[in-house]
Amino acid sequence: MKTWMKAAATASAMAVGIALAAPALAQDGSIYIPNLSYRTGPFAATGTPLMNGQRDYITLLNERDGGLNGAKLVYDECETGYNTEKGVECYEKTKANAVVTQPWSTGITLQVLPKSNVDEIPILAPGYGFSAMADGKVFQWAFNPPSSYWDGASMILNHISDNDLSSLSGKKIALLHLDHPFGKEPIPLLEKLAAEHGFTLLPIPVGLTEMQNQSAQWLQIRRERPDFVVMWGWGAMNAGALTEAAKTKYPMDQFVGIWWSGHDGDLKLIGDQGKGYRSISWSVPNSESALMQDIKRHVVDAGKSHINQAEGEFDSVFYQRGVMISVILVEGIRAAQEEFDTQTPDAVQVRWGLENIKLDEARLKELGAEGMLVPFSTSCADHTGHGGGWMLEWDGSKFVKVSDIIQPDRSAIEPLEEEKAREYAEANAPWPVNEECEM
Amino acid sequence: MLYRTAGQFKTSYKADHALFPVRQDALLLGFILLLAFVVFPLTASEFTFRALLIPVLIYSLAALGLNILTGYAGQLSLGTGAFMGVGAYACYKLLTIFPEMNIVIAIAMSGFFSAAVGVLFGLPSLRIKGFYLAIATLAAQFFLVWLFQKWAWLYNYNASGAIQVPNIDMFGITVAGPRATAMTQYYFVLGVVSVITLFAINITRGRIGRMWKAVRDMDIAAELVGINLMRAKLTAFFVSSYIVGVSGALFVFLWRGAAEANLFDIPLSFRVLFIAIIGGLGSILGNYLGAILIVALPVIISTVPATFGIPVDSAMVEHLNVMIVGALIITFLIVEPHGLARFWAVIREKLILWPFPH
């Protein structure tokens, strides 16, 4: 009993002492960039390569160039397991010294979004989050370059209809989506387009708990015989859907996914049976590019990476997309460094930097990443950049690029973005709006 | 010495049944309240408020609700998470339909919605007991979470399917929403939790509490001595679900700021159940001890190695956390099945005798 009590007393004294001390993280002369990662939980299969890619690009800059213009980049992960509750805890824990926050889940993004105006930390959510975040006048602190989910939905429709949406008239398109904020994102736009162009939209939700057993959903698909199945899937759901599609012999060339549904690992499970499956993407893997070769030399071969080389993770879409996400972030920080003539820009300055990213083809070539990312540039009013995307197709063993850059139908999306952004601002009043778009 | 009871005579029934028969208990409670109301707010950082203090209070309240049902009235329930959800969604609808409503009133009223749902799902308890009842409440868990997802009216047809807390002012101070400061929210939660705890202590000590305990210990005997089983069980469901509903409203409005239906799924129910079990079933104090352990442990595991300069991967921390919590639950159930509250009771008894062993 006595030892028990002593141990308990020491432990609680330690706990209180540590808890009350504010977490000290970044040193002087360095830039602290936290990442709310998820290497555990049901989405770990897709999260791990992305985090590895993000981490390795930062490691490359620190190893090869000694940081960014002399400032060391401190990359730090806080594990959320894609759990919104843990995500908020991680956000609170890392925000003190951070110049940016990367919430890594549409749910966590939605939680952090209202706090951004108060805490004044830019949210970087590349290719995810709330699509209306593109409106930089309303969402001054949120960024989702290079393309939003609504852009993605529009690109998929443009591609499957050969840029003539009226040809979809009378057809039936099923939206197989995760029943979570992420999966519901494209619905408002797709509903609008369905009404305009006369196709039927059939949303088929997949609950978080039934991700790996989608027999009910695929039974419905078999019964309804849609002309296309568009998938908004993630993590274990992709593998479930693809194996079920292969089992029910659904024609793969009528099955198209969003960029998070194009994970090599999921398709390797079905191999040849997945031939013809397409996924829209704003990044294309290219292991031969100068940038990837540098990463191979300075990070992977030096043993500083966490990737699973035996599984071919280095060549995968998601790992190299993770690299591209860090490229976007670093370009924003670099822009801030140059504009404000400082080595260590603060969060407010990095926000300016993220509003002035110019990743055109010339700049990508300079970075050694030509053709790996859609060229785009952001501005104060446009926080997404709307770079478009390529269609990738599974050839039985890997994803190959099968289209030129596809552009979203912005004229259809813009009014919806404005409307939803205004609705959000009204629901969260008082919400500061930056109409003149000044810093 | 510290807990000397000599000289504290009780000369009336009233004194014998006082809230604190031993003076030192009152002093200790006063000290804890001083810590909670004055010392913590002065010293805590924002991270401490949001990651430790506020969630500990809210989880204790949820566990208190469950404990009244399971620990005092002996009715097993696995639907706590869903009942928290009912409170949260009710509060959301009340505040969006009547934006002028005071948030205290909205939270107090939202408890009644979950109490009504709780009583409805408590009806089977009149016929079934134990594990069978647990499965019946599990049905509530599945059904309600499904309802939160499917009934778009509940989340105002929001495209993302999530409920978002707007900025809410009370007497000129923002208490909920993104603009509220952590300290205001802490005081708000602390106030609500204190009031409900006082209420819970008194109701469990009084006539109704004794009725519940009789039903828990042996329902046939209780019925024979004239206790109305139906009334006893349904009041337990009512009071329990009310408290759980209030904690759900606090959970979303004073802490999380937004919520999706999935949040109220089984893992939340289990979490609250673990808190109640580790803290000690049938005790009020146990809920607080259990919540401190379960909520604080992950935070400590993720910060301690870092402060000593040991690099641990954040993913590793997460795995460690699951393993340690699991091991702790097993250890507690073997070493002290009555939970942390019983630990404190043993320590207190020893202190009363100290320094003389008997």
Side-chain angles (χ1 to χ4, degrees), chain B residues 83-96:
Chain B
F83 295 140
M84 284 174 81
V86 174
Y89 277 89
C91 192
Y92 178 71
K93 283 312 285 186
L94 283 173
L95 282 171
T96 46

Side-chain angles (χ1 to χ4, degrees), chain A residues 194-268:
Chain A
E196 274 172 27
H197 298 283
F199 62 88
T200 320
L201 178 73
L202 179 70
I204 304 178
V206 178
L208 270 182
T209 45
E210 54 204 54
M211 283 196 300
Q212 305 194 44
N213 174 21
Q214 297 172 25
S215 37
Q217 283 82 6
W218 283 91
L219 197 67
Q220 192 184 354
I221 287 173
R222 212 155 51 171
R223 205 172 47 226
E224 300 269 0
R225 297 179 182 281
D227 295 282
F228 288 99
V229 174
V230 174
M231 173 155 73
W232 236 258
W234 194 214
M237 171 179 163
N238 295 337
L242 286 161
T243 44
E244 205 65 46
K247 219 191 296 172
T248 54
K249 303 237 172 344
Y250 186 80
M252 282 293 171
D253 56 351
Q254 298 181 13
F255 192 12
V256 193
I258 186 65
W259 39 77
W260 304 120
S261 299
H263 176 44
D264 301 66
D266 300 331
L267 281 137
K268 277 196 180 129

Side-chain angles (χ1 to χ4, degrees), chain A residues 221-375:
Chain A
I221 287 173
R222 212 155 51 171
R223 205 172 47 226
E224 300 269 0
R225 297 179 182 281
D227 295 282
F228 288 99
V229 174
V230 174
M231 173 155 73
W232 236 258
W234 194 214
M237 171 179 163
N238 295 337
L242 286 161
T243 44
E244 205 65 46
K247 219 191 296 172
T248 54
K249 303 237 172 344
Y250 186 80
M252 282 293 171
D253 56 351
Q254 298 181 13
F255 192 12
V256 193
I258 186 65
W259 39 77
W260 304 120
S261 299
H263 176 44
D264 301 66
D266 300 331
L267 281 137
K268 277 196 180 129
L269 293 174
I270 53 169
D272 267 350
Q273 284 180 292
K275 217 183 235 178
Y277 172 76
R278 280 168 294 172
S279 143
I280 189 90
S281 175
W282 39 261
S283 71
V284 175
N286 179 6
S287 306
E288 301 309 315
S289 66
L291 175 65
M292 294 315 292
Q293 284 302 319
D294 270 0
I295 291 184
K296 193 160 173 46
R297 197 170 325 122
H298 293 280
V299 186
V300 179
D301 292 345
K304 291 186 169 116
S305 174
H306 286 184
I307 63 167
N308 184 345
Q309 277 177 285
E311 289 285 320
E313 190 180 326
F314 186 78
D315 302 315
S316 72
V317 179
F318 275 32
Y319 173 71
Q320 302 206 7
R321 185 178 292 154
V323 172
M324 288 302 122
I325 288 170
S326 277
V327 167
I328 295 173
L329 170 60
V330 168
E331 283 308 298
I333 298 176
R334 197 195 302 269
Q337 279 180 331
E338 280 159 16
E339 170 72 17
F340 299 99
D341 198 21
T342 167
Q343 258 196 346
T344 51
D346 60 16
V348 179
Q349 292 167 335
V350 168
R351 177 191 140 207
W352 186 92
L354 290 171
E355 282 181 347
N356 291 277
I357 297 177
K358 271 190 190 46
L359 271 166
D360 49 13
E361 274 167 37
R363 179 67 191 143
L364 284 167
K365 195 169 182 183
E366 225 172 287
L367 291 168
E370 210 180 354
M372 289 181 68
L373 180 70
V374 288

Side-chain angles (χ1 to χ4, degrees), chain A residues 33-81:
Chain A
I33 36 180
N35 197 10
L36 311 191
S37 63
Y38 51 99
R39 292 170 183 271
T40 62
F43 302 95
T46 39
T48 308
L50 283 164
M51 304 307 150
N52 284 339
Q54 281 201 269
R55 187 176 177 277
D56 286 359
Y57 182 69
I58 305 293
T59 316
L60 172 75
L61 292 184
N62 284 336
E63 292 290 318
R64 187 187 64 186
D65 311 340
L68 183 65
N69 294 329
K72 197 168 179 300
L73 295 168
V74 181
Y75 173 83
D76 185 30
E77 281 182 8
C78 182
E79 179 64 29
T80 69

